Amino acid sequence: MSRNNNWNVNDYTPRSSTEIYDLRREGHLDEARQKAEELLRQDNTDQDVWKAYAWTLIDICKREQQQGNNEGARQISEYLSQLKFNTIGDEFAETLVYKIQQLKLMVNPFYTQIQKAKELSQNGNNDRAWEILHQLAADGHLPKEAHENYGWTIYRYLRDHISTLNSVEVRTHLRDYINLKNERPSNLHSQILNFALNYSKQDQNFKLVSFLRLWGPDNLRSSDFEDSRGNDGKSIPSLMYRIARAVVNYPLNEVQEFVALLPRRKEEFIEMMKEHYFWKLYHSTEGGADSSSWSLFEEYLAFFPDAPASSSHSKVLGLAERVMKENNAWRFYDFFRQWNPEKLRDADWKEEQGDNGETYKPLAVKSLKKAREAVETLSDEQIGDLQWLIDLYSTAVEKFPDDDWNIRSKALLHLRAGQLEKAKSIYKDLCLKMGEKYYIWSEFSDCWKDPGVKIALLCKALSLEKNEDFIGKIRLELARQLIKAKKHDNAVVELEQYKKHYTEKGWRIDAEVDALLGQCSSAKPAKDMNVAFYEENIPIAEEHAYADIPYTEMVLVDKWKNDDGKSMMTFVDGDTIEFATSKKRFPTLRNSHEGQVWKFKLYKDETVKTIPDMYSWRPPKRETIIKYIPLIVSPSETADWLTLPVKYGYIQHVNSEKKVYHIYSTDSNLVYEHFEEQALEKGNFVKFRQYTKKVKEEKKVFFKDIKKCDGSEGITQFKCRIVAVDDVNEQKQLFHFVLGPELISGILHYNQTELRPAIGDFIKIHYYVRKIEDKKNPGQEKKVVEVLRAEATEEVNNNLIKSIEGTLELKYRDLYSDGEPDFAFIGDYYVHKSILDKFNIHSDCHVTAKAIYTGDGKWKVYEIAL
């Protein structure tokens, strides 16, 4: 509150009250009073007059007190106290009200004692000040206006004598303070609460929560929630943060009653309490969690469960995930569910950073994993409805689509929930991504009720893992299914291998084993130890796993040995798909031959590779690496090579000595194809099957099944273009043509064609492009257009020829020459001297002309009309 004791009335002189203020200023207080009362009788709503009247009565009250008329002064003061002024936004009225309050205290009969107590307290003698005010209060003589002073003396008395006062005395003094009518909220009121907080730490009989309710939660100030700094610059936690630390140790119902009384910032205070509850839990588990720790975790779940998500709430979950382990891991499932996974924050789904820069899995992922593992040890009754955890895993899969372990965990939960079709769908994908893991196939078998399918999938699982330590339970389950299918000879093999290994390891043998062997008492173990049985069933397992994948026809194009000496085969579809596999992986391929077509079910594995940029401040590049993995192979009825695309080519050269054809395809790819007996000649058109294959990380084109074709068929497959003749050289018996910006030009000799075009004529060509060494630029290549057929055409290519109009300007190499011009320009278009001579031009003139493109963005004029 702003209180200006030296208010200058000249700064505020409304017209209706001017005369009152003038009389008051001149010392005519009674006349000023009479004038004010006269004006108020005329209009008692004029606030300006009421204010002037009040200031006048204040001066009269002081005069009466000075003259010894205390009773008259008290009557005026009492009258002034009954006046009401709106102080909101009105500093003048605010000061007036403060003066009236001061006046009421000054006219009190005990003002001298009150003032003396105030001075004593200010001079450091708070004990004597407290005695005076305490006695006045006890005698009923302490006015409300002195309650603020008395409150401060109580606070200082408690502060100074806390070590000597007993519990009853402290509570008595605090009661005396609570009964005062001082201003609240205020700094004094918050200091009293701070004292009570500190005192509660040393007196177990003092209930802080009960005092908080008496103190009044609606008296909290914003500053009570704000941290501060001490004289040493260190941060001091806010009053409410320290209150929160204390009240977490009180019964929950009492804390809830207090929080319910908070008029605002409830969620902020609850978060403070949750942070302290976390530390309470943390310290209870420092030496190892025990029954008291588990009780605290249970209590926490009831501790304001409707509070919003927060960092402290997540910290409690993280603590539970760490300490609920081993024999107590089962506790986490129910704790996590009651903790409410809906309160997982975005930050909880991100990797955690250690103090030394190490990274850890997100809290959400770790919690899901711990809850899913706990399910394995719980009964159906303890688990209840699993859907909440399944839905949570759906979120995890969306956030981390490349994490196959989350996907697998979700499938396991579907299995436990009896949702077999949903689990089956997931495991079909997992058999593609993690098909080399034996446990995936074992778990997939749990999705099927058909014993035949179960048996096949278990056989597949056992074929993938050779370490008997891991597969005992799978052998036992396979034996159960084999007995159901009345395949006792095969079941005995699995049971005996199980029993033998467990005996060697000294492990406990499942009690069911002897009973199962008893059911097979008349059977003899299969002679080949189930090898043939496995070979028979593994394809069945794979067919069920990959049933939704279509077959793709692939051609065997190469057989080779890798660095380990394994026999490998390369298959292609001719364009995008290429993979290599070993003969051992697919025994049916052992007698295959090049060109043979096989049907494969393929898994397209797409891995995103992150490549750091050479500059750390730029984001890394992401490259998708695609790999095709063969799953199942089956013979195809398609004839050799026929699945590859048909392409056409031209025999550009035959090296008879090395027995090699030089073949250019319609795509201008050059392939050197060996032959045993020459069947083709230079100039022949051929058709063949084409495919691409990686050779030393470079894609190369290969031709197979090459056959001669009729020229009329082959020529139409090559590129065709309308070109323009830009030069004719009769001496060399050739003409030059241009194709366009990307393929600049080519040459045709007269002995290659019967065409004899003029500059500017269009012709139609079929061609391919040959790359040769550029002799002018060693180490570089240049493109040569090889024409297969050229013919006259009425078609035009407007990109190569244009009409222009403008002034033709003659140019001379010798600036001072007055002879024949050497060349000319029409704007930016070049005119050769031969054109000037041809059209008999000897001076600058306005012309229309035709120009032809010559490459590199340049044009030349070949015809002029004057």
Side-chain angles (χ1 to χ4, degrees):
M1 180 182 292
S2 175
R3 298 184 174 110
N4 184 358
N5 295 331
N6 298 311
W7 185 271
N8 187 349
V9 296
N10 290 324
D11 295 336
Y12 190 85
T13 53
R15 185 190 307 169
S16 58
S17 57
T18 299
E19 189 175 350
I20 302 171
Y21 283 114
D22 289 343
L23 289 170
R24 174 172 172 261
R25 190 181 304 111
E26 294 168 0
H28 304 304
L29 297 178
D30 293 326
E31 289 87 342
R33 178 179 183 176
Q34 291 173 2
K35 182 62 179 178
E37 290 173 346
E38 177 185 339
L39 290 172
L40 290 172
R41 282 193 294 271
Q42 297 172 10
D43 180 9
N44 66 355
T45 63
D46 192 330
Q47 288 298 307
D48 291 332
V49 174
W50 275 111
K51 291 173 184 177
Y53 183 43
W55 280 109
T56 301
L57 289 179
I58 289 172
D59 289 348
I60 292 174
C61 181
K62 290 179 180 179
R63 184 189 68 186
E64 294 303 307
Q65 188 181 34
Q66 291 171 355
Q67 294 176 356
N69 185 10
N70 292 329
E71 182 59 31
R74 281 194 291 273
Q75 289 178 358
I76 294 173
S77 175
E78 187 63 32
Y79 176 75
L80 283 168
S81 298
Q82 296 173 12
L83 298 181
K84 304 297 180 183
F85 294 99
N86 183 8
T87 60
I88 298 176
D90 190 339
E91 192 175 358
F92 185 81
E94 189 177 359
T95 303
L96 176 60
V97 170
Y98 176 66
K99 285 290 187 181
I100 292 172
Q101 292 173 347
Q102 280 188 319
L103 187 66
K104 190 172 184 181
L105 181 60
M106 290 171 60
V107 300
N108 187 280
F110 301 98
Y111 174 70
T112 303
Q113 291 174 266
I114 295 169
Q115 195 66 15
K116 180 182 178 181
K118 182 178 180 181
E119 292 172 359
L120 287 168
S121 181
Q122 289 175 344
N123 293 327
N125 192 354
N126 187 73
D127 286 6
R128 177 58 185 148
W130 174 79
E131 290 175 359
I132 294 171
L133 295 177
H134 178 70
Q135 189 60 50
L136 286 172
D139 295 339
H141 299 320
L142 188 70
K144 184 174 70 172
E145 289 75 22
H147 283 197
E148 181 80 5
N149 288 339
Y150 184 32
W152 277 110
T153 62
I154 291 174
Y155 166 70
R156 295 182 183 117
Y157 190 86
L158 287 168
R159 181 195 64 190
D160 297 341
H161 298 284
I162 187 171
S163 60
T164 58
L165 294 172
N166 61 38
S167 178
V168 173
E169 289 172 327
V170 170
R171 282 181 283 168
T172 299
H173 287 302
L174 289 174
R175 180 206 62 197
D176 290 345
Y177 170 81
I178 291 297
N179 289 332
L180 295 178
K181 303 299 182 185
N182 58 309
E183 182 181 356
R184 302 173 187 179
S186 66
N187 181 33
L188 169 60
H189 203 54
S190 295
Q191 290 290 356
I192 288 291
L193 178 57
N194 187 53
F195 170 83
L197 167 64
N198 293 328
Y199 180 72
S200 68
K201 299 173 185 176
Q202 70 182 55
D203 184 357
Q204 295 182 349
N205 295 319
F206 182 80
K207 297 190 69 174
L208 179 63
V209 173
S210 298
F211 179 78
L212 280 166
R213 289 197 297 270
L214 292 172
W215 183 89
D218 55 343
N219 289 320
L220 285 166
R221 303 174 301 159
S222 295
S223 58
D224 296 332
F225 286 88
E226 308 300 329
D227 295 345
S228 59
R229 291 202 174 273
N231 295 330
D232 57 0
K234 293 183 178 179
S235 178
I236 301 174
S238 70
L239 173 60
M240 289 308 291
Y241 183 83
R242 290 178 283 120
I243 291 287
R245 179 164 51 203
V247 299
V248 293
N249 296 310
Y250 282 83
L252 178 59
N253 63 321
E254 295 183 20
V255 179
Q256 288 173 328
E257 288 176 12
F258 166 67
V259 172
L261 297 173
L262 288 172
R264 57 193 176 277
R265 302 179 82 160
K266 290 183 182 181
E267 290 183 356
E268 185 178 348
F269 184 67
I270 291 171
E271 168 62 5
M272 291 176 180
M273 288 193 293
K274 282 184 174 285
E275 182 177 343
H276 292 305
Y277 211 116
F278 162 76
W279 288 111
K280 183 178 178 181
L281 284 165
Y282 177 82
H283 293 308
S284 78
T285 61
E286 278 185 306
D290 53 23
S291 58
S292 63
S293 304
W294 308 136
S295 296
L296 282 176
F297 275 110
E298 290 177 8
E299 288 176 13
Y300 176 80
L301 293 172
F303 192 78
F304 297 95
D306 296 329
S310 69
S311 60
S312 296
H313 195 51
S314 295
K315 284 165 68 176
V316 170
L317 177 65
L319 179 63
E321 191 274 331
R322 291 195 300 275
V323 302
M324 293 180 182
K325 57 185 179 181
E326 298 170 352
N327 293 336
N328 288 294
W330 60 272
R331 298 177 181 276
F332 189 76
Y333 176 82
D334 199 50
F335 177 84
F336 188 28
R337 177 169 54 182
Q338 293 188 61
W339 181 92
N340 190 358
E342 292 182 3
K343 294 184 182 179
L344 286 167
R345 305 166 302 145
D346 288 342
D348 298 330
W349 289 99
K350 296 177 180 176
E351 285 186 337
E352 298 175 343
Q353 297 290 327
D355 295 336
N356 298 318
E358 64 273 27
T359 58
Y360 301 98
K361 284 191 175 183
L363 171 62
V365 174
K366 290 189 293 185
S367 299
L368 264 68
K369 182 175 181 291
K370 179 63 70 73
R372 206 275 305 161
E373 290 172 349
V375 167
E376 297 176 5
T377 64
L378 299 174
S379 65
D380 290 343
E381 194 172 285
Q382 290 173 308
I383 291 172
D385 187 359
L386 261 176
Q387 195 58 46
W388 71 275
L389 189 54
I390 293 172
D391 292 342
L392 199 55
Y393 260 106
S394 296
T395 301
V397 170
E398 288 178 10
K399 291 181 178 290
F400 308 102
D402 296 327
D403 191 330
D404 295 333
W405 295 104
N406 283 337
I407 298 171
R408 179 196 174 205
S409 293
K410 184 171 184 286
L412 288 169
L413 290 173
H414 282 304
L415 276 177
R416 185 63 188 269
Q419 300 169 358
L420 300 185
E421 290 304 315
K422 290 182 179 179
K424 192 182 296 183
S425 176
I426 294 174
Y427 273 110
K428 284 183 177 180
D429 286 335
L430 288 174
C431 285
L432 298 174
K433 296 179 179 180
M434 304 174 66
E436 77 284 2
K437 306 296 185 184
Y438 73 94
Y439 46 81
I440 294 297
W441 295 89
S442 175
E443 292 162 7
F444 190 25
S445 72
D446 294 333
C447 300
W448 300 84
K449 294 182 179 179
D450 185 336
V453 179
K454 279 182 172 289
I455 288 169
L457 291 167
L458 291 169
C459 286
K460 175 68 175 179
L462 290 169
S463 72
L464 292 169
E465 182 56 62
K466 303 307 178 186
N467 190 335
E468 287 288 336
D469 289 356
F470 303 142
I471 56 178
K473 290 183 179 179
I474 299 177
R475 288 200 185 280
L476 197 55
E477 178 59 26
L478 177 56
R480 293 190 192 101
Q481 298 301 327
L482 288 169
I483 290 172
K484 286 183 182 178
K486 301 188 183 305
K487 298 181 182 294
H488 297 90
D489 292 355
N490 301 113
V492 171
V493 172
E494 303 301 328
L495 290 169
E496 288 184 347
Q497 287 197 76
Y498 168 88
K499 194 170 184 179
K500 177 185 176 183
H501 187 72
Y502 273 52
T503 300
E504 290 174 352
K505 289 286 187 177
W507 295 344
R508 186 183 66 82
I509 297 173
D510 195 294
E512 186 184 6
V513 171
D514 288 336
L516 292 172
L517 283 169
Q519 295 180 50
C520 306
S521 58
S522 61
K524 294 182 180 180
K527 292 180 180 180
D528 64 351
M529 298 297 289
N530 283 349
V531 172
F533 183 73
Y534 277 37
E535 288 184 356
E536 175 188 340
N537 276 277
I538 288 173
I540 298 173
E542 293 173 339
E543 281 291 347
H544 280 86
Y546 311 136
D548 299 335
I549 301 175
Y551 276 104
T552 301
E553 289 196 318
M554 306 291 294
V555 179
L556 173 59
V557 295
D558 195 13
K559 290 185 175 184
W560 49 284
K561 288 186 181 293
N562 64 13
D563 294 340
D564 297 327
K566 289 184 179 179
S567 295
M568 305 294 292
M569 294 173 285
T570 301
F571 290 85
V572 301
D573 72 340
D575 186 19
T576 58
I577 303 175
E578 176 187 343
F579 64 84
T581 187
S582 66
K583 287 183 180 180
K584 188 176 180 181
R585 171 72 176 85
F586 297 107
T588 55
L589 296 174
R590 287 171 185 162
N591 298 319
S592 58
H593 58 268
E594 285 190 21
Q596 190 172 358
V597 180
W598 292 84
K599 295 189 299 182
F600 283 90
K601 289 194 174 186
L602 301 172
Y603 168 54
K604 184 180 180 182
D605 180 34
E606 297 185 65
T607 304
V608 178
K609 183 180 180 182
T610 301
I611 305 171
D613 193 87
M614 61 184 297
Y615 299 104
S616 59
W617 50 270
R618 288 200 303 215
K621 296 178 182 178
R622 294 172 67 85
E623 178 185 353
T624 301
I625 299 173
I626 298 175
K627 182 180 179 182
Y628 290 92
I629 300 172
L631 305 169
I632 297 177
V633 63
S634 178
S636 171
E637 296 180 359
T638 304
D640 290 358
W641 305 110
L642 289 191
T643 59
L644 298 180
V646 176
K647 297 287 185 177
Y648 289 82
Y650 177 77
I651 306 295
Q652 184 262 339
H653 178 68
V654 178
N655 189 326
S656 301
E657 181 181 346
K658 295 183 178 180
K659 296 187 175 182
V660 174
Y661 296 127
H662 294 207
I663 306 175
Y664 274 93
S665 70
T666 56
D667 299 322
S668 296
N669 290 317
L670 171 61
V671 171
Y672 301 99
E673 197 65 41
H674 289 266
F675 60 83
E676 292 299 326
E677 293 184 11
Q678 184 175 344
L680 301 170
E681 301 290 341
K682 178 181 178 180
N684 285 165
F685 287 94
V686 292
K687 63 179 177 181
F688 46 82
R689 303 287 172 166
Q690 177 178 303
Y691 67 90
T692 58
K693 186 182 76 166
K694 266 191 175 182
V695 179
K696 295 181 180 179
E697 298 305 313
E698 181 183 352
K699 272 201 167 186
K700 289 196 172 183
V701 178
F702 294 87
F703 300 161
K704 291 294 181 182
D705 195 25
I706 303 169
K707 297 176 182 178
K708 182 180 178 181
C709 73
D710 186 80
S712 60
E713 178 185 356
I715 194 72
T716 58
Q717 305 299 320
F718 280 82
K719 293 178 180 177
C720 180
R721 198 166 186 130
I722 306 300
V723 301
V725 176
D726 67 324
D727 194 18
V728 177
N729 191 325
E730 292 291 350
Q731 183 179 356
K732 293 183 178 180
Q733 297 288 286
L734 58 80
F735 58 87
H736 191 271
F737 58 84
V738 290
L739 290 82
E742 71 281 12
L743 283 174
I744 298 172
S745 62
I747 295 173
L748 265 177
H749 290 83
Y750 284 178
N751 60 5
Q752 292 177 275
T753 177
E754 295 180 357
L755 297 176
R756 298 296 180 265
I759 297 175
D761 286 351
F762 287 103
I763 60 174
K764 183 177 183 180
I765 65 169
H766 290 80
Y767 67 97
Y768 65 90
V769 178
R770 189 160 58 95
K771 294 178 182 178
I772 63 173
E773 183 180 355
D774 189 347
K775 294 180 180 179
K776 293 182 180 179
N777 299 290
Q780 297 184 20
E781 292 181 330
K782 68 176 183 178
K783 297 177 179 179
V784 175
V785 177
E786 297 287 355
V787 179
L788 297 171
R789 176 189 292 177
E791 54 189 72
T793 181
E794 295 297 323
E795 296 180 71
V796 298
N797 186 340
N798 291 323
N799 294 321
L800 300 177
I801 289 179
K802 63 171 63 176
S803 295
I804 58 175
E805 182 178 356
T807 301
L808 182 146
E809 297 180 2
L810 300 177
K811 302 293 180 182
Y812 303 86
R813 299 188 191 281
D814 184 350
L815 296 177
Y816 303 100
S817 172
D818 56 358
E820 293 295 319
D822 297 296
F823 57 94
F825 277 100
I826 305 173
D828 292 331
Y829 297 93
Y830 176 76
V831 183
H832 192 270
K833 177 176 174 55
S834 61
I835 301 299
L836 298 175
D837 294 341
K838 180 179 179 180
F839 292 95
N840 198 27
I841 297 175
H842 301 286
S843 61
D844 294 354
C845 56
H846 187 83
V847 298
T848 58
K850 289 185 178 180
I852 190 167
Y853 182 76
T854 59
D856 295 329
K858 297 178 181 179
W859 296 76
K860 74 173 183 178
V861 174
Y862 68 91
E863 184 177 302
I864 295 176
L866 298 174

